[in-house]
Amino acid sequence: MQTMISNRLCLAPPLPHRRALSPRLCFSGGLRLHLATPSFVFFESRCVVKVEAVARASSRDCEMATDNGQDPRIAKISSSIRVIPDFPKPGIMFQDITTLLLDTEAFKDTINMFVERYEGKDISVVAGVEARGFIFGPPIALAIGAKFVPMRKPKKLPGKVISEEYSLEYGTDKIEMHVGAVEPGERAIIIDDLIATGGTLAAAIRLLERVGVKIVECACVIELPELKGKDKLGETPLFVLVSSA
Amino acid sequence: MSGNEVNDPRIYGIKTKIRVVPDFPKKGIMFQDITTLLLDPKAFQDTIDLFVERYRDMNISVVAGIEARGFIFGSPIALAIGAKFVPLRKPKKLPGETIFEEYELEYGSDRLEMHVEAVNPGDRALVIDDLIATGGTLCAAMNLLERVGAEVVECACVIELPELKGRERLGGKPLCVLVEYR
């Protein structure tokens, strides 16, 4: 796990009730971390989910996207994400990024934050996980001059593929990638809208590593930290814009 | 704008990057694979630029992309022209309130869904997909947008299979493609 331990101090536990907002300052060694100004999302069942906007660098090799303090774009991005309770099944608080895509400024800011982080880092591959990774990955790839490589559910890609299995709550699934899409030695980032348990991203990492690609980082708009997806990523760092407790 | 009508030098580069895979997903089908286009950053950028140049001054407020390959092209176009991006998805993927439109497949039918609140009456919309074959999916997409009061200005695809006459199913709506495959 590459996240510095003190990053955890930035994230307060979920709150059962409203409380005064206060920015949280975290420092770790020479790294400057973003301020997190909590914002609250109320919905029908009257629970409060604290959506804390944190952009965390989790590798010593990565630079921070901004200087001191919270990037002003994060709050807008965070508040444009809609939380839908009990989807796809009861008990799940679904993080819906489609509302972010309707906010042209927030969508642009989201892409820019990733582009600023990854341009000039000799990344030649942006791998996007089907299907919401296909929305964020291509504009990032175009902006940094990298190839876009779709990682798909079984039987969607024509021609020769390699596949990697991963676990679901019940059963397993597979993701596939074209043989020859990437070459040994290439540097890649993997994009998805959200990391939950980390199963899909871990499978994507394994697929790319099998063909000799170095995964520089996994990047997601949203993390659900309680599901500890980061733990499944092994040596690969994770970068997220919004952490939803 | 089609491969025949536009003499843009970028079109040739785009066409040569599309890989044709025979007998996929079943025998007799020559599958037009755009993933090889995506591996060429310049050709991919040119593809997006050609659409952006066409649409940026047309006051488009919505780019609707058809899952999943329509997402790959629609998203960068939406960003570049400052329009909302609206994903049109297979059933049960979109949370919250949706409307659906059914369309026919060779055997059976399928559905396309859209969030009701994503599009407003009076929105000027584009529909984007990687390819138009029979036109069934594009037709369903247009219906969804029109049902909520949007105006579909044009459908745009990278590739057309003209022999399948999909263009004729679009109810007179204009279609813009970059490459034809005969």
Side-chain angles (χ1 to χ4, degrees):
Chain A
M1 183 157 33
Q2 276 58 52
T3 310
M4 306 295 282
I5 296 299
S6 59
N7 282 11
R8 289 265 171 220
L9 300 176
C10 291
L11 301 178
L15 299 176
H17 56 272
R18 197 179 193 136
R19 65 172 210 180
L21 303 184
S22 60
R24 294 179 185 286
L25 252 180
C26 307
F27 288 98
S28 166
L31 283 183
R32 288 162 302 182
L33 302 174
H34 296 298
L35 291 181
T37 302
S39 61
F40 293 88
V41 175
F42 286 91
F43 45 89
E44 288 128 29
S45 61
R46 301 216 162 253
C47 295
V48 175
V49 169
K50 180 161 163 291
V51 175
E52 187 163 299
V54 175
R56 294 178 293 167
S58 49
S59 157
R60 61 187 175 282
D61 295 320
C62 288
E63 295 167 21
M64 297 306 296
T66 63
D67 289 329
N68 283 324
Q70 180 183 27
D71 190 307
R73 296 172 288 185
I74 295 262
K76 194 187 206 334
I77 292 167
S78 176
S79 63
S80 70
I81 296 164
R82 174 169 74 154
V83 181
I84 307 253
D86 300 324
F87 183 90
K89 49 183 210 202
I92 300 206
M93 304 297 294
F94 188 88
Q95 304 286 321
D96 182 18
I97 49 91
T98 64
T99 41
L100 185 161
L101 308 176
L102 298 178
D103 181 333
T104 51
E105 286 305 309
F107 187 17
K108 205 179 343 168
D109 287 347
T110 302
I111 299 303
N112 284 343
M113 291 196 67
F114 289 121
V115 170
E116 287 162 18
R117 184 176 181 79
Y118 298 118
E119 64 191 346
K121 301 275 190 328
D122 206 21
I123 288 164
S124 56
V125 174
V126 172
V129 179
E130 168 166 18
R132 289 183 287 262
F134 288 7
I135 299 174
F136 297 99
I140 296 168
L142 286 163
I144 70 174
K147 310 190 242 199
F148 178 71
V149 176
M151 310 202 80
R152 298 210 68 174
K153 304 276 185 200
K155 304 206 184 103
K156 302 291 185 81
L157 291 170
K160 276 207 189 128
V161 297
I162 54 171
S163 61
E164 187 72 32
E165 214 169 71
Y166 61 100
S167 298
L168 299 171
E169 195 180 4
Y170 301 107
T172 61
D173 204 346
K174 276 189 190 178
I175 56 167
E176 295 186 341
M177 180 175 77
H178 269 137
V179 169
V182 296
E183 288 170 28
E186 291 206 80
R187 287 162 53 79
I189 55 173
I190 306 175
I191 308 280
D192 206 353
D193 66 321
L194 179 145
I195 175 172
T197 63
T200 324
L201 279 174
I205 290 170
R206 289 195 298 273
L207 253 187
L208 286 163
E209 285 183 339
R210 271 164 61 188
V211 291
V213 167
K214 157 98 177 146
I215 296 97
V216 173
E217 197 157 79
C218 288
C220 302
V221 182
I222 305 160
E223 178 190 15
L224 306 179
E226 279 165 10
L227 297 180
K228 303 191 194 304
K230 206 172 7 174
D231 295 355
K232 288 228 175 75
L233 306 186
E235 295 290 303
T236 305
L238 172 69
F239 176 75
V240 302
L241 302 184
V242 171
S243 194
S244 182
Chain B
M1 173 164 74
S2 76
N4 292 333
E5 290 160 32
V6 170
N7 242 341
D8 193 301
R10 292 171 286 182
I11 299 251
Y12 177 75
I14 291 164
K15 185 164 189 156
T16 57
K17 289 295 173 181
I18 295 165
R19 173 171 77 149
V20 181
V21 181
D23 300 325
F24 183 89
K26 49 182 212 204
K27 269 189 124 23
I29 301 205
M30 303 296 284
F31 188 88
Q32 304 287 315
D33 182 18
I34 49 89
T35 65
T36 38
L37 172 67
L38 309 176
L39 297 180
D40 182 330
K42 178 172 188 318
F44 186 17
Q45 185 67 60
D46 286 345
T47 305
I48 299 303
D49 287 347
L50 282 163
F51 289 123
V52 169
E53 287 161 21
R54 180 176 182 81
Y55 296 120
R56 73 175 145 218
D57 295 323
M58 286 173 68
N59 223 0
I60 305 289
S61 53
V62 167
V63 172
I66 298 179
E67 169 165 19
R69 290 184 288 261
F71 290 4
I72 298 175
F73 297 98
S75 159
I77 294 168
L79 283 161
I81 69 175
K84 302 188 272 193
F85 180 70
V86 176
L88 302 181
R89 299 210 65 177
K90 304 277 185 199
K92 302 203 188 107
K93 303 290 186 81
L94 290 170
E97 214 190 329
T98 58
I99 54 173
F100 71 87
E101 189 75 22
E102 223 164 67
Y103 62 99
E104 275 172 29
L105 301 170
E106 194 178 4
Y107 301 108
S109 63
D110 204 346
R111 283 183 181 184
L112 205 57
E113 291 186 350
M114 181 177 83
H115 270 140
V116 284
E117 288 163 20
V119 177
N120 302 316
D123 265 328
R124 285 170 54 80
L126 297 179
V127 182
I128 309 277
D129 207 354
D130 64 322
L131 179 146
I132 173 172
T134 61
T137 325
L138 278 174
C139 211
M142 292 196 317
N143 289 345
L144 277 173
L145 290 160
E146 287 176 346
R147 275 165 59 187
V148 295
E151 178 198 347
V152 176
V153 173
E154 195 158 89
C155 293
C157 302
V158 181
I159 305 161
E160 179 183 11
L161 306 180
E163 282 159 10
L164 297 179
K165 303 192 195 299
R167 198 179 275 264
E168 294 167 24
R169 288 189 64 173
L170 301 184
K173 280 294 175 191
L175 169 71
C176 165
V177 301
L178 303 185
V179 168
E180 288 178 5
Y181 182 80
R182 294 180 185 275

